[in-house]
Amino acid sequence: MNRRYRVMLIDDEESARKLMKAGIAWEDLGMEVVGEASSGVEAINVIDDIRPDIAFVDISMPFMDGIEFTQMATERYPKLVIIIMTAFDDFEYARKCVSLPVFEYMLKPMVRSEVIKVLNKVKGQLDAELISCEETEDEQEPIMTGENNATEQIKKYLEDNYTDPKLNLTFVAQYFGFSASYLSRKFKQDTGKNFVEYLTELRMNKAMKLAESNVKMFIAASEVGIPDPNYFGRCFKKYTGKSYSDLSQHINK
């Protein structure tokens, strides 16, 4: 069974991510880089859309480091292959976390030949599994009764809990006892919006009210469940068309 495996790069250094993307012949390995994140918080917020098979994770990042991300991500995606990237000074810290389901620890700066060697090992493991997570989910897909009512309950749950930074599609699906893929399709069918759009809308509507009250951006980010100000800023500008500071200054003139 030939699959193209999906890779995510999680590192707060943009130059390191660019080097990884350009320095490896991903296609030759049967892989593709499908997403990036500059922090663990951003990664947790977008991982449901990206659905990677493999994640390269820097151990040292602001707001949520690589260890915290690994704990949270592998709890929700048990088959996700994690490769921790660490500088020499952090290596002993990384080795203390051996209880985590990490496939490999690699020292930065990364050596291309070593990365390729590790990726070939990963590919061998993934090929041997034969049945993908998505196929397993489809086979076990639940049949919901009172489906529209369930969607309303989920919307209410999001409205009451959107400030929780742990909230994402997989978390909510597990809470309500559904597979993430099923909930994603059903939520879009019932509401006309995908799950991430709906959750982001709740958070950004609250963020605009905080901007009107002249609340500082880093405080607003935390209050709406996105504790990484950089990721919050990108979400806010994408949603409103303006930066948080520009909107706040315009409203409070």
Side-chain angles (χ1 to χ4, degrees), residues 13-250:
E13 296 180 24
E14 185 179 5
S15 58
R17 300 196 308 270
K18 284 183 176 178
L19 191 61
M20 279 286 287
K21 284 178 70 176
I24 303 295
W26 299 100
E27 190 170 335
D28 292 347
L29 293 165
M31 300 176 182
E32 61 179 324
V33 176
V34 292
E36 301 177 45
S38 60
S39 73
V41 172
E42 180 177 355
I44 283 294
N45 275 276
V46 301
I47 196 169
D48 287 326
D49 287 337
I50 294 171
R51 300 187 70 79
D53 300 295
I54 305 160
F56 281 86
V57 184
D58 185 25
I59 198 172
S60 180
M61 296 182 289
F63 308 108
M64 179 190 291
D65 66 22
I67 298 302
E68 293 173 297
F69 168 81
T70 299
Q71 289 172 324
M72 189 175 293
T74 53
E75 183 178 316
R76 300 177 190 177
Y77 295 95
K79 293 187 178 181
L80 176 63
V81 175
I82 299 281
I83 299 167
I84 291 285
M85 304 179 293
T86 176
F88 182 77
D89 291 344
D90 294 320
F91 196 66
E92 285 308 310
Y93 169 57
R95 289 182 67 85
K96 290 177 183 176
C97 304
V98 292
S99 60
L100 292 173
V102 173
F103 185 86
E104 189 69 79
Y105 294 90
M106 301 194 71
L107 277 173
K108 297 175 74 174
M110 309 282 273
V111 178
R112 181 187 301 167
S113 60
E114 290 299 313
V115 173
I116 292 171
K117 185 187 298 184
V118 169
L119 286 172
N120 277 317
K121 283 170 59 180
V122 173
K123 188 174 188 299
Q125 175 176 299
L126 292 174
D127 284 346
E129 289 175 0
L130 298 176
I131 302 174
S132 70
C133 295
E134 289 85 357
E135 289 169 338
T136 303
E137 279 189 347
D138 288 341
E139 289 169 6
Q140 298 176 348
E141 188 171 283
I143 299 172
M144 278 181 15
T145 57
E147 291 173 331
N148 290 332
N149 183 51
T151 302
E152 290 303 315
Q153 289 178 24
I154 291 167
K155 287 169 62 179
K156 179 67 165 57
Y157 181 82
L158 293 178
E159 290 163 9
D160 292 340
N161 295 280
Y162 67 86
T163 58
D164 184 349
K166 296 192 300 295
L167 216 62
N168 69 3
L169 175 65
T170 303
F171 181 93
V172 174
Q174 290 178 347
Y175 183 85
F176 282 89
F178 308 134
S179 73
S181 59
Y182 179 76
L183 177 57
S184 176
R185 292 194 299 272
K186 190 60 185 167
F187 194 89
K188 178 69 178 287
Q189 179 182 317
D190 289 347
T191 68
K193 298 177 183 176
N194 69 40
F195 181 92
V196 173
E197 287 173 345
Y198 190 85
L199 178 57
T200 301
E201 185 176 289
L202 290 173
R203 287 171 165 168
M204 293 302 103
N205 284 338
K206 175 65 174 178
M208 287 191 289
K209 292 178 182 177
L210 293 171
E212 291 172 8
S213 301
N214 211 24
V215 174
K216 292 185 180 299
M217 188 177 85
F218 76 94
I219 296 175
S222 180
E223 288 195 13
V224 302
I226 307 177
D228 178 347
N230 294 324
Y231 177 54
F232 169 84
R234 291 198 294 275
C235 288
F236 191 90
K237 188 161 188 179
K238 183 178 179 181
Y239 186 77
T240 66
K242 297 185 177 183
S243 71
Y244 184 88
S245 58
D246 286 345
L247 186 62
S248 182
Q249 289 168 8
H250 176 75

